[in-house]
Amino acid sequence: MAYFHLPAATCHSLESVMANFWWGFNDNNCAKTHWQRWQKLCKSKKYGGLSFRSLVHINQALLAKQEWRIFKHPNSTVAKILAARYFPNSSFIDCSLGHSPSFVWRSIFWGKELLQKGLITKIGKGQSTFISHDYWIPRYRQVTTLIPASDTVASLIKNDMSWDFPLIRNYFPTHIVQEILSIPLSLQPSSDTLIWEHTKLGVYSVKSGHHISLSSTAPLDIPSSSTPSPWWKNLWHLNIPPKVKTLCFPCFKLYSSKS
């Protein structure tokens, strides 16, 4: 799964085997208790699920890990081979699927689609990042400026490497101005770089990639109309064997369904 795009039917078949561990048939061919739908078991533990991984989405997240390595190590052997065949005149991030792609390249390209969803520009000098066209303000991929802005972010940075507050206020609404001012600038000018937005260190992780892949197609992890249950949080943090915690899960579900 870390190197090839598995068919969705194969992933769903494997998930059926996993689901039968929780509900299926015993030796006497009697149906087991149906605790919850599989989609609900994929929810986070703090929302009453078991944090199971959707195999289709974890497949894409694992592939994106390889794409992150290709992106960050363009001088590696595999990156040079792929560049010579599929993107000799462009960067890895901007390349297209191309003509007659191999199965490996199609798998890589599918993982790259996920990688692009989580990349954000870390501002250095701001000379290669455009104010309106690039994604550089956290949580705001589509920003409409108050006045037309075709300059680079460098025009918003003063010579002492601090943000030009009066100029920024002319371009953006108040709530976005605060977001921009919270973006740290290095004392030593450096080039703009792409980082992974969803980890503290800006490095891609499979866990965060799986969350982005899952939420983009089936937002199951964080319900829009509910809040985390303190009961579940306390359960999973108890200093008891994990198998006891797992046993408590169906017991509580059975109790809550009858009540």
Side-chain angles (χ1 to χ4, degrees):
M1 296 181 74
Y3 299 98
F4 302 103
H5 182 185
L6 300 186
T10 301
C11 294
H12 295 326
S13 177
L14 292 172
E15 287 178 345
S16 296
V17 176
M18 297 165 62
N20 283 333
F21 178 81
W22 295 91
W23 58 83
F25 295 90
N26 56 24
D27 295 337
N28 297 324
N29 203 33
C30 296
K32 296 179 182 178
T33 302
H34 190 154
W35 302 115
Q36 275 189 319
R37 291 188 299 112
W38 177 258
Q39 289 81 358
K40 287 190 176 181
L41 293 179
C42 288
K43 287 164 48 176
S44 174
K45 288 183 177 180
K46 62 184 178 181
Y47 288 108
L50 286 176
S51 294
F52 287 172
R53 299 295 187 233
S54 167
L55 296 188
V56 172
H57 298 97
I58 199 66
N59 185 191
Q60 188 179 28
L62 287 168
L63 284 168
K65 179 70 174 181
Q66 305 302 328
E67 280 61 90
W68 174 261
R69 292 172 178 169
I70 295 173
F71 169 62
K72 284 297 182 179
H73 302 283
N75 293 323
S76 63
T77 302
V78 64
K80 289 182 178 180
I81 293 174
L82 292 173
R85 171 64 177 84
Y86 295 106
F87 52 99
N89 300 317
S90 66
S91 65
F92 174 67
I93 294 297
D94 297 327
C95 69
S96 60
L97 187 59
H99 177 68
S100 299
S102 66
F103 175 67
V104 172
W105 177 247
R106 282 186 279 114
S107 299
I108 290 175
F109 199 82
W110 185 54
K112 185 171 76 76
E113 292 176 357
L114 172 61
L115 186 64
Q116 288 177 304
K117 294 178 181 178
L119 291 178
I120 186 173
T121 301
K122 180 182 179 182
I123 300 299
K125 295 180 181 179
Q127 295 178 343
S128 59
T129 305
F130 288 91
I131 295 175
S132 299
H133 305 302
D134 296 320
Y135 177 47
W136 59 280
I137 306 174
R139 297 178 295 279
Y140 291 95
R141 285 194 173 270
Q142 300 292 333
V143 177
T144 302
T145 56
L146 300 178
I147 58 176
S150 58
D151 295 335
T152 62
V153 178
S155 63
L156 305 178
I157 302 174
K158 297 189 291 187
N159 294 332
D160 61 352
M161 292 304 296
S162 63
W163 292 109
D164 191 336
F165 174 69
L167 185 58
I168 293 174
R169 189 171 53 183
N170 291 336
Y171 278 117
F172 300 97
T174 303
H175 65 286
I176 297 182
V177 170
Q178 298 303 318
E179 290 289 343
I180 295 176
L181 296 178
S182 65
I183 299 175
L185 294 174
S186 175
L187 297 178
Q188 299 295 329
S190 57
S191 301
D192 299 343
T193 57
L194 288 174
I195 62 173
W196 183 250
E197 182 182 10
H198 304 285
T199 56
K200 292 181 179 180
L201 298 179
V203 178
Y204 178 84
S205 70
V206 175
K207 179 179 180 180
S208 61
H210 173 265
H211 178 75
I212 298 302
S213 178
L214 182 63
S215 61
S216 63
T217 56
L220 301 171
D221 196 46
I222 302 179
S224 59
S225 59
S226 62
T227 57
S229 171
W231 195 95
W232 290 115
K233 182 178 179 180
N234 294 334
L235 169 65
W236 298 114
H237 284 83
L238 289 175
N239 188 23
I240 57 177
K243 62 182 179 181
V244 178
K245 299 178 186 179
T246 305
L247 176 63
C248 292
F249 173 81
C251 290
F252 181 78
K253 284 297 180 182
L254 184 61
Y255 171 77
S256 60
S257 63
K258 291 183 177 180
S259 60

